[in-house]
Each structure stands twice: as structure tokens, then as C-alpha cells.
Amino acid sequence: MTLSSYSDVFSIEHERGYEEEIRVGDTVRCGPNHHPHYEVIALHGEKAWLRNIQNGADALAPITRCRRLDEATLRAAAE
């Protein structure tokens, strides 16, 4: 038996449909979600090491799921 993820069951697409350069130090979000926000700690191949800026938890994610946040989005989230 193979366990399915919620993404598979609900056909949720996490990858962004456009090119975007993700760099170490960027603040990003993953998939279509607006939160949580992550800081990019390191990049290796097609993976990003991310740190949740709210609670400090680390995660690994495909770079194609990362969406860089602009300054206006970051200011609005801080309010």
C-alpha cells in the first residue's frame, strides 16, 4: 500500500509556473501558501535549506516550490 499525500489526493500543484532566481538570504514562501515565511540558508542542486523565520524550524524544499517575497509583502506581513 502506498500512502498518498494531501497534495496527491487534492491535486495541489506546489511548483511555481515561472522562472525566478532564489538566492541565499532571500525570504521566501513555499507553494501557493502565504505563510510561513522562510529564510534561505543554503542551496544545493535543486534543493533549498530553509529556516522558518517565526519559529526557527529548518526544512528542505525543492527550489521550484520557493517564491521570493518582495519588500511590500514583507512589510504587510509584519503589520
Side-chain angles (χ1 to χ4, degrees):
M1 179 177 160
T2 302
L3 297 176
S4 297
S5 70
Y6 73 95
S7 297
D8 295 332
V9 171
F10 295 107
S11 300
I12 297 172
E13 190 65 39
H14 294 285
E15 279 72 23
R16 63 181 186 276
Y18 53 90
E19 284 294 316
E20 182 173 51
E21 182 181 4
I22 303 297
R23 299 175 301 238
V24 172
D26 284 346
T27 302
V28 299
R29 59 186 173 92
C30 291
N33 304 318
H34 293 288
H35 290 284
H37 296 164
Y38 299 92
E39 177 185 0
V40 178
I41 302 301
L43 300 169
H44 185 270
E46 297 299 314
K47 299 264 186 205
W49 172 12
L50 307 174
R51 181 161 295 144
N52 185 312
I53 61 174
Q54 190 171 19
N55 64 20
D58 287 351
L60 293 175
I63 293 172
T64 57
R65 291 188 181 183
C66 297
R67 291 164 170 81
R68 190 172 49 230
L69 298 174
D70 59 18
E71 292 300 318
T73 304
L74 293 172
R75 279 193 302 274
E79 296 175 355

